[in-house]
Amino acid sequence: MRNLPIFLLCIFILNLSCTPSMHIYKRSQLLMGTIVEITVVAKEEGTADEAITAAFKEIRRLEEIMSTYIPSSDISQVNAAAGVHPVKVHKDLLLAVKRALEFADLSGGAFNIALGPAIDLWKVTESTRIPSQEELEAIRPLIDYKNIVVDEGAGTIFLKKTGMRINLGGIGKGFAANYAYNVLARYGIRSGIIAVAGDLKVFGKQPDGSLWSIGITHPRRKDDIIAKAHLTDRSISTSGDYERFFIKNGIRYHHILSPDTLQPSRGFQSVSIIAKDSTTSDALSTAIFAMGPERGFKLLEELPDVESVIVRDDGHVEMSSGFKGYPVAIEIIR
Ligand code: ADP
Ligand code: MG
């Protein structure tokens, strides 16, 4: 997660305002290879600073456990011991992997944290080389997520085959946002936004009592938004084909892979998911994107408490039917 390019937040925070007693404070820091922006409502700057500093520290702590770019991280140790022995890991990594495996099952395997070897072959941010299908097929035996063994009693993770590598790029940022939220809550912060790039945890309301307004980036016009979500006590995540990609011979190659084809998944420009917690919104936005329209829409309709705004590959915008009675509103900008 660390060496991702710094990219513009794909979701903008809009309409900040304040009342005389409560104010909005906003800080950002580079963490998990991206910009993390934390907004809180507090009476005094000192209180806000203390809480935000502790929340950043929490995200850094998780990064040191879960980043494959840090050789000493627990996840790197697990990958290094693939096919050899189980590795005792921090309970937070155990939990993140457990949650990731739940989303793997939920998505029929489309969300797959064992895709590490395929992700490394593509390296869409570092090179524009298209791996051959032979190269990709050669690593297929290494991407079966059923070969990830989580032993909760022993506190270990074991990858059964040598060469396997797990990668939490599709869930780690949302997972970290939830933890940062818990830290802010411990500091008495009741309202704010934690934005780990395109994964946002939104809680409470603005000082004037209004909902927070979150803009969803237009996948083909970076400075525009395609929709505005007005929400409270929900998380929103966007997965798109427009942040990390290259174009060759008119074809866009991006960073969300279909485990079936081992190629970038086709059918969507972006998938935004609104859910109760940010681990769910992060994992599901990646999962639905990887599933593609046919399977993705079917799963979305089955899930309670999950709403979506989706841009198809032809630019058509679709939102889920369930916004009625939901503590959010969506405005599509045309
Ligand atoms: P971002 O990291 O840009 O916020 P996502 O949350 O959608 O976007 O995660 C994309 C990342 O997840 C990729 O960079 C890669 O590390 C990983 N990934 C790619 N394809 C899959 C997949 N099918 N299942 C799970 N993780 C994936
Ligand atoms: Mg994701």
Side-chain angles (χ1 to χ4, degrees), residues 83-153:
V84 185
H85 59 78
V87 174
K88 179 119 178 100
V89 297
H90 196 283
K91 64 176 180 11
D92 294 327
L93 178 63
L94 211 72
L95 185 60
V97 169
K98 240 184 80 185
R99 299 256 11 229
L101 295 177
E102 288 166 15
F103 287 101
D105 286 337
L106 186 72
S107 64
F111 184 82
N112 183 346
I113 57 165
L115 277 176
I119 291 166
D120 293 345
L121 270 180
W122 277 97
K123 284 198 170 90
V124 289
T125 50
E126 290 160 37
S127 96
T128 57
R129 194 180 81 87
I130 299 167
S132 70
Q133 207 56 37
E134 283 97 64
E135 277 176 277
L136 290 166
E137 291 308 327
I139 52 103
R140 195 179 280 283
L142 303 176
I143 62 152
D144 185 351
Y145 74 88
K146 299 250 160 66
N147 286 330
I148 303 169
V149 184
V150 177
D151 185 335
E152 283 189 80

